[in-house]
Amino acid sequence: MQNKSLAKFLIGCLVIAFAFYIVFFGLEIGTASIPSVQKVIRYGLDLKGGVYIVYEAAKENPTRREMESALQLIRTRLDMRNFYDATATIQGSKRIRVEIPGVKDPDEAIQYIGRTALIEFKGPSGDLIVSGRNVVDAYAQQTTSGYVVALKFDKEGTKKFAEGTKKYLGQNIGIYLDGKLISNPVVRAEIDSGEAVIEGMKDLEEAKTLAQQIKAGALPFALNVIESKAIGPSLGNEAFKSTLKAGIIGILLVFLFMIIFYRLPGLVADIALVAYIVILVAIVGYAKITLTLPGIAGIILSAGMAVDANILIFARLKEELRSGKTLRAAMDAGFRRALNAVIDSNVTTIIAGIVLLFLGTGPIKGFAWTLTIGIVVSFFTAITVTRFLLTSIINTGLFKDIRWYGGKKTREVDA
């Protein structure tokens, strides 16, 4: 029984150590590999540098649905440009905040993201024939006359375009982008194939950009830039290093505090805290949650909550031992009686985190994500991992003296 319990404890420690190695150093087995979290983690604007832009709708009272539509289109445009680390959120009733880490040219990002990108085909008298809302596909193409954007219309758009080209045969049909005439070709024949091209692109990149914007869809209204700022990567790196250093020092002090005041249970809690760090960092990294400076603060804060849960449990454990109970009975009673207080404190913090997650913007959301996930993980490690390790070490029968558990006088108790 004693050897089996000791083996359980050692295996538990080895599993945590192995998980720590995989998460922070990666693992390669033949052709298969698990990248370290440093290679996959998404850093926020405040850590990586880049640009943030605040847009305001050029409309008096846009509806919530219109704002959400604009937000979704902006996110689609960001994804099409491979800005996967970027975030876009609604602020207030008519503003959208966009953060793009790693961008070197803010002006290019501002123009690309905020462009309405509404394509319209109009007759000589200015009447609308068909718009970009009827476009189902758009792509860049190189022809003998240069670079163009090829368009394909839906069923309704095909019918309208056929009617328009038939009506204005031999006349000009203007192609407008955001109200500006960009091409004015002469209709040579009725076009009923549901296809059209936009000429006059100076290079392939411009053609690709316009095609992506048209394909993503037109914004429901124009967006005005009211604030933009570039953040250099050096500032982000310094802030990250300082915060990381502070976090490591804080966690090491917590390790030391737990061992000094709670001795053997404190050591077990420290091992469980390592498991907490491994699980939380793995979730943040591999689930592609953007890590910000406030997010790091959320990790450290939830680590303190994990230790706080253990302190409540161990304080109960010492009380039960002083009342004369055996180690196993005292441990069971300690976990049982402290459970309600642990649940209450965690639930209230999770509620606060969820509120911040839904109502907060920018870096506040990063803090809310790591805090909420960290609280859930810390509850698991404090209740499950700590209990498993402590039960295993008690069952070895090697630590019967009450001083191992924070007692002040030498007294052996039965396991």
Side-chain angles (χ1 to χ4, degrees):
M1 178 66 179
Q2 292 180 351
N3 291 336
K4 186 177 179 181
S5 297
L6 182 60
K8 282 184 179 180
F9 176 80
L10 294 175
I11 289 172
C13 292
L14 286 173
V15 168
I16 293 171
F18 185 60
F20 182 92
Y21 180 84
I22 291 176
V23 169
F24 290 98
F25 299 99
L27 182 67
E28 291 187 11
I29 303 176
T31 56
S33 65
I34 301 175
S36 66
V37 74
Q38 293 95 319
K39 294 180 180 179
V40 298
I41 201 164
R42 291 172 57 175
Y43 293 106
L45 185 68
D46 50 0
L47 295 177
K48 193 175 182 180
V51 64
Y52 80 82
I53 312 159
V54 180
Y55 292 101
E56 187 173 70
K59 186 176 181 180
E60 190 62 34
N61 292 304
T63 64
R64 183 70 182 181
R65 187 173 181 178
E66 287 176 327
M67 290 299 295
E68 289 175 350
S69 175
L71 178 68
Q72 187 57 47
L73 285 169
I74 285 174
R75 286 175 174 166
T76 302
R77 292 180 181 183
L78 290 168
D79 289 343
M80 283 183 169
R81 296 286 284 196
N82 297 322
F83 292 144
Y84 298 118
D85 292 347
T87 59
T89 54
I90 295 175
Q91 284 187 333
S93 61
K94 57 187 301 186
R95 293 182 179 181
I96 295 175
R97 180 187 176 100
V98 180
E99 296 183 356
I100 315 175
V103 170
K104 296 180 179 179
D105 188 354
D107 293 334
E108 180 185 349
I110 287 171
Q111 183 179 1
Y112 175 79
I113 297 165
R115 198 178 194 180
T116 310
L118 176 60
I119 287 290
E120 294 175 311
F121 291 78
K122 295 182 178 181
S125 58
D127 56 314
L128 180 65
I129 298 172
V130 66
S131 75
R133 292 183 174 89
N134 296 114
V135 174
V136 293
D137 195 13
Y139 53 91
Q141 200 173 49
Q142 186 175 9
T143 65
T144 53
S145 60
Y147 297 101
V148 301
V149 175
L151 304 177
K152 289 186 178 181
F153 297 109
D154 58 15
K155 187 176 181 181
E156 181 187 1
T158 300
K159 181 181 178 182
K160 288 180 178 179
F161 197 62
E163 291 172 351
T165 52
K166 181 179 180 181
K167 180 179 178 180
Y168 297 114
L169 189 65
Q171 301 181 59
N172 296 82
I173 287 183
I175 303 174
Y176 293 80
L177 175 63
D178 295 342
K180 182 180 179 181
L181 182 66
I182 59 172
S183 184
N184 197 31
V186 176
V187 180
R188 303 296 184 189
E190 178 186 347
I191 303 173
D192 57 5
S193 61
E195 297 180 354
V197 294
I198 303 172
E199 298 177 335
M201 302 293 107
K202 64 181 180 181
D203 54 32
L204 183 61
E205 187 61 30
E206 183 183 10
K208 283 183 177 179
T209 298
L210 180 57
Q212 288 170 350
Q213 290 174 323
I214 295 171
K215 194 172 180 180
L219 289 167
F221 39 69
L223 291 173
N224 299 323
V225 178
I226 61 170
E227 184 182 359
S228 66
K229 185 177 181 181
I231 298 176
S234 59
L235 177 62
N237 288 335
E238 288 301 317
F240 177 68
K241 289 176 182 177
S242 299
T243 306
L244 192 61
K245 183 179 178 181
I248 292 172
I249 292 172
I251 290 174
L252 290 176
L253 289 174
V254 168
F255 283 171
L256 191 61
F257 171 84
M258 293 300 292
I259 291 173
I260 291 173
F261 284 90
Y262 294 98
R263 298 168 196 178
L264 184 62
L267 177 63
V268 170
D270 289 346
I271 297 171
L273 189 57
V274 173
Y276 153 82
I277 294 170
V278 170
I279 296 171
L280 180 57
V281 170
I283 292 174
V284 171
Y286 298 119
K288 303 293 184 182
I289 296 172
T290 302
L291 183 65
T292 61
L293 285 175
I296 296 174
I299 293 174
I300 297 170
L301 180 59
S302 57
M305 294 290 290
V307 174
D308 180 59
N310 283 320
I311 288 173
L312 288 172
I313 293 167
F314 297 158
R316 288 286 188 179
L317 171 63
K318 287 184 0 180
E319 289 178 8
E320 299 299 330
L321 286 174
R322 282 197 292 267
S323 68
K325 289 186 177 180
T326 63
L327 285 172
R328 278 196 294 268
M331 186 195 69
D332 291 338
F335 274 90
R336 186 177 64 253
R337 293 186 177 183
L339 186 61
N340 288 336
V342 172
I343 290 175
D344 289 344
S345 63
N346 283 324
V347 167
T348 52
T349 308
I350 287 172
I351 291 172
I354 291 173
V355 170
L356 289 175
L357 193 60
F358 282 95
L359 300 182
T361 57
I364 300 300
K365 280 201 170 187
F367 173 78
W369 267 117
T370 55
L371 178 65
T372 305
I373 296 172
I375 292 298
V376 174
V377 174
S378 70
F379 181 78
F380 167 76
T381 55
I383 300 300
T384 305
V385 178
T386 301
R387 185 163 190 165
F388 171 80
L389 294 175
L390 194 56
T391 301
S392 300
I393 203 71
I394 286 174
N395 287 339
T396 62
L398 300 175
F399 305 94
K400 293 183 177 182
D401 195 319
I402 196 172
R403 287 188 300 176
W404 283 108
Y405 304 91
K408 295 181 180 180
K409 295 181 181 179
T410 300
R411 178 170 67 87
E412 287 196 359
V413 290
D414 294 330

